[in-house]
Amino acid sequence: MVKSRKIVCAAVLSAFAFAAVSAQEVSFENEVSTDIVNISITDDDTDSKFAGFENKTTAEYTSEKLDMGLVLKFSLTQEDDDSIRLGSDSYVDDYWVEFRPIEMLGIGFHKGQLLEGAFLPCLDDQQDAEIEAGNLRNDFGVFIRPVDGLVISAGFDFDSFFNKDDTDPLINAGAEYKYEEMFAVGAMFRNIVSDDRSIGVYASYTGLEGFTFNAGYTNNGEIEDFNVVGDFINAAVMFESDAFALNVDAAFSLDSDDNTTNDLYTAVLAGYQVNDALAVKLYGAFTTDFDNDDTWVFTVKPYVEYAINEHNAISGGVCVGISKPEKTISFPVSWVYTY
């Protein structure tokens, strides 16, 4: 797995070097972020520690025949013994290449692309907080576009061939059809040859200007960061008008008998663009298991974003988490450079 990843990453880096010389369709983003300090408050004690920091670099190139990208991540965290250590998710976070030798055919590596109806907008900047069952792509896959608006995907994940714990190869297939600017429907089957397969069916309506409605059903799926596991339905509403934007999304579990997972996740993300440079936003999320009153968690994060110039933007705010055993406070700040 490590060797294959190094080969693919080397190919991506070489291709970027060529693209930087031969074309201008290259984008670059670097984000430095930290929560400054994590404060935990319980009935018995108050504890605080350095929140660590993360640097995430994303480079992407797109053209008629070739798309490719690379995401590098470096993080430092403070452990329970107060030592500062390199984050376990550092180094290569993602990479992708898709080559289209002819108009109807694409061949690619490792690209995450959610089906339209599986997208939950309030999860957009949350790590590991997506519906993986709605991911149309694979570590290696073939993408066929027989008619305008339709893509059919099939492939496999590298881990299933290099991880000795897996007895079955992780083979995936799916399809999505988009009709102009009106709607999209799609389905995804992941891990087809295993008894642990997941199935997702999703739809998205975009027929009204500034308004989007997504909905779907997932069988044996997961939203990792919010512990929604098994069978669940999802929905999302996105509305944008002039300077105001409002996103609302939710996932409701159909496996209510499982006391180890959440039955409900829901979140709101509202924003107002004060002027060309300044935006104020408010994020709030709630999760709970209806069978266990001790599992609910409420999170609220007001923050501001300020564009210093064309290439540099900063943001800062406060994040408060409230649950029955404890309250948490942190102060997320970030600096983003784009080119």
Side-chain angles (χ1 to χ4, degrees):
M1 177 62 183
V2 174
K3 184 177 180 181
S4 64
R5 173 168 287 200
K6 288 182 178 179
I7 292 173
V8 175
C9 291
V12 173
L13 288 171
S14 300
F16 265 117
F18 172 78
V21 175
S22 61
Q24 299 299 315
E25 299 178 36
V26 177
S27 64
F28 174 86
E29 179 178 293
N30 191 83
E31 180 178 9
V32 182
S33 61
T34 177
D35 287 344
I36 302 178
V37 62
N38 287 328
I39 303 173
S40 175
I41 304 171
T42 65
D43 293 338
D44 301 324
D45 190 21
T46 298
D47 181 55
S48 63
K49 63 179 182 180
F50 171 56
F53 82 94
E54 177 181 285
N55 189 90
K56 183 177 180 180
T57 302
T58 304
E60 187 168 4
Y61 168 76
T62 59
S63 69
E64 182 181 356
K65 295 291 185 181
L66 178 67
D67 295 339
M68 56 188 173
L70 183 65
V71 180
L72 303 176
K73 185 182 292 185
F74 173 84
S75 62
L76 292 178
T77 60
Q78 183 175 358
E79 304 297 325
D80 292 337
D81 60 2
D82 292 333
S83 63
I84 305 297
R85 298 180 184 176
L86 187 67
S88 60
D89 58 352
S90 292
Y91 308 117
V92 178
D93 188 55
D94 198 6
Y95 55 88
W96 60 90
V97 177
E98 182 182 339
F99 172 57
R100 293 176 290 276
I102 60 177
E103 184 177 356
M104 294 189 301
L105 176 67
I107 302 170
F109 295 91
H110 205 284
K111 171 68 174 177
Q113 178 182 328
L114 286 179
L115 297 170
E116 296 288 338
F119 178 61
L120 299 176
C122 299
L123 302 186
D124 194 27
D125 62 350
Q126 302 285 332
Q127 181 184 8
D128 297 327
E130 64 179 25
I131 304 175
E132 179 60 25
N135 184 7
L136 188 64
R137 301 299 180 104
N138 310 275
D139 284 354
F140 174 79
V142 176
F143 320 107
I144 301 172
R145 300 173 176 86
V147 297
D148 187 36
L150 176 64
V151 58
I152 302 171
S153 168
F156 63 86
D157 288 353
F158 291 138
D159 282 345
S160 63
F161 288 89
F162 292 93
N163 186 345
K164 299 183 184 301
D165 294 334
D166 289 337
T167 57
D168 298 312
L170 193 60
I171 298 174
N172 317 302
E176 183 174 51
Y177 177 71
K178 298 180 182 179
Y179 179 72
E180 297 181 349
E181 298 297 325
M182 293 291 294
F183 67 86
V185 292
M188 191 68 201
F189 301 83
R190 301 195 67 85
N191 204 5
I192 296 173
V193 300
S194 169
D195 292 336
D196 194 34
R197 70 182 61 85
S198 62
I199 302 172
V201 180
Y202 310 96
S204 177
Y205 174 74
T206 54
L208 297 177
E209 183 177 358
F211 177 83
T212 299
F213 176 74
N214 294 343
Y217 165 74
T218 302
N219 171 257
N220 193 32
E222 181 178 17
I223 304 176
E224 184 176 340
D225 277 9
F226 294 95
N227 195 29
V228 179
V229 180
D231 299 349
F232 56 87
I233 56 176
N234 66 276
V237 174
M238 289 160 275
F239 174 75
E240 185 173 353
S241 176
D242 297 327
F244 178 73
L246 177 66
N247 298 326
V248 181
D249 57 30
F252 181 79
S253 173
L254 303 177
D255 298 328
S256 59
D257 294 335
D258 189 346
N259 293 328
T260 64
T261 63
N262 285 320
D263 293 329
L264 174 67
Y265 150 82
T266 186
V268 175
L269 177 61
Y272 183 76
Q273 194 72 35
V274 179
N275 53 44
D276 291 341
L278 179 65
V280 294
K281 296 187 176 182
L282 176 65
Y283 167 81
F286 178 76
T287 59
T288 187
D289 176 7
F290 295 135
D291 297 324
N292 189 342
D293 293 337
D294 293 337
T295 61
W296 61 269
V297 177
F298 175 71
T299 303
V300 61
K301 182 176 77 170
Y303 61 105
V304 297
E305 294 178 341
Y306 181 74
I308 300 173
N309 52 39
E310 181 182 358
H311 300 293
N312 294 274
I314 56 175
S315 68
V318 58
C319 183
V320 178
I322 303 173
S323 63
K324 192 160 188 177
E326 68 174 351
K327 300 177 180 65
T328 61
I329 304 174
S330 61
F331 304 90
V333 296
S334 69
W335 164 46
V336 178
Y337 174 82
T338 57
Y339 176 77

